[in-house]
Amino acid sequence: MEFKDYYKIMGVARNASQDDIKRAYRKLARKYHPDVSKEKDAEVRFKELGEAYEVLKDAEKRTAYDQLGTNWKANQEFRPPPEWNTGFEFSGQKFSGGDTSQYSDFFESLFGQGFGARFGGGQGAGRHGTAGATFHRPGEDHYAKVLIDLEDSYTGATRTITLQVPGVDTQGHVSTREHALNVKIPKGIRARQQIRLAGQGAPGHGQGKAGDLYLEIEFRPHSYYRVDGSDVYLDLPVAPWEAALGATVKTPTPDGTIELKIPADSSAGRKLRLKGRGIPGKTPGDFFVVLQIVVPPADNDSAKDFYHNMAVQFKSFNPRARLGVKT
């Protein structure tokens, strides 16, 4: 899909105020409205304009969009960067999903069902009571996606998490404020599960209770491990002789180093399953070790002689036999 430069579409600077955005939209909407415009591409331009305004008029959507950075160019091939929308606190009402079919795939990838509806966006006041009560209305629930370390899911932890809360300042520009929280991370929590913080959402009106804050959990990318549901994977480098002859090797896991037995005659890509050593829970996940054979470099005469002798010793061995290729 192609990147959409919403600022360029609306002809405004990235630091434009919300009033500037509104004025630009009204001017261009009159120019490109299909019922009155004589422009050949009026319908397409009007549709693009509506999509851009849907994002930039809203402080929350605009803040999220701005997280993509300034290096993207209009019509450039685009995929949302991993975890691009983490660390921001949004209200449920404004990210309730809605009908995004009228907008581009680019809009859908950022603000469609994957962004707001997974939170149950829009439940806010309705979950607490009738929103029509003028002076005693509960506050909206808020939602945020946060990153935690995989190890915290194994042990449980209390962490300080600082969220950025979008808003509009007195000059009409989009700004953010910090919302710092001490969060208890329960042992065994998994990606996409939520932590509910009662009373940490928007304040209520009058004597209405404050809304709640829901934190959706994602794991930070790890230099060792991959997570799939409740299962955890590790690519373990082993020497050729360890794979061929078998060995017992020290192996890291999220809850400590273990002694792992490598079966003899193992090949690259072989999976060793450690049952119940994945993410803890009533039904714990498994820990999978995927063997990766690392060949020593032939960087001196002795090593080269070793490999020459091996070639002679295993002359009949064809590593590409299954591909139908002869040596």
Side-chain angles (χ1 to χ4, degrees), residues 22-23 36 50 83 97 184 194 198 203 212 260 275 284 326:
K22 185 182 296 184
R23 282 192 292 269
V36 297
E83 319 308 342
K184 184 176 181 180
Q194 296 179 8
D212 298 334
L260 179 68
K275 186 177 181 180
K326 296 182 179 180

Side-chain angles (χ1 to χ4, degrees), residues 112 226 241 290:
R226 302 186 305 278
W241 49 89
V290 183

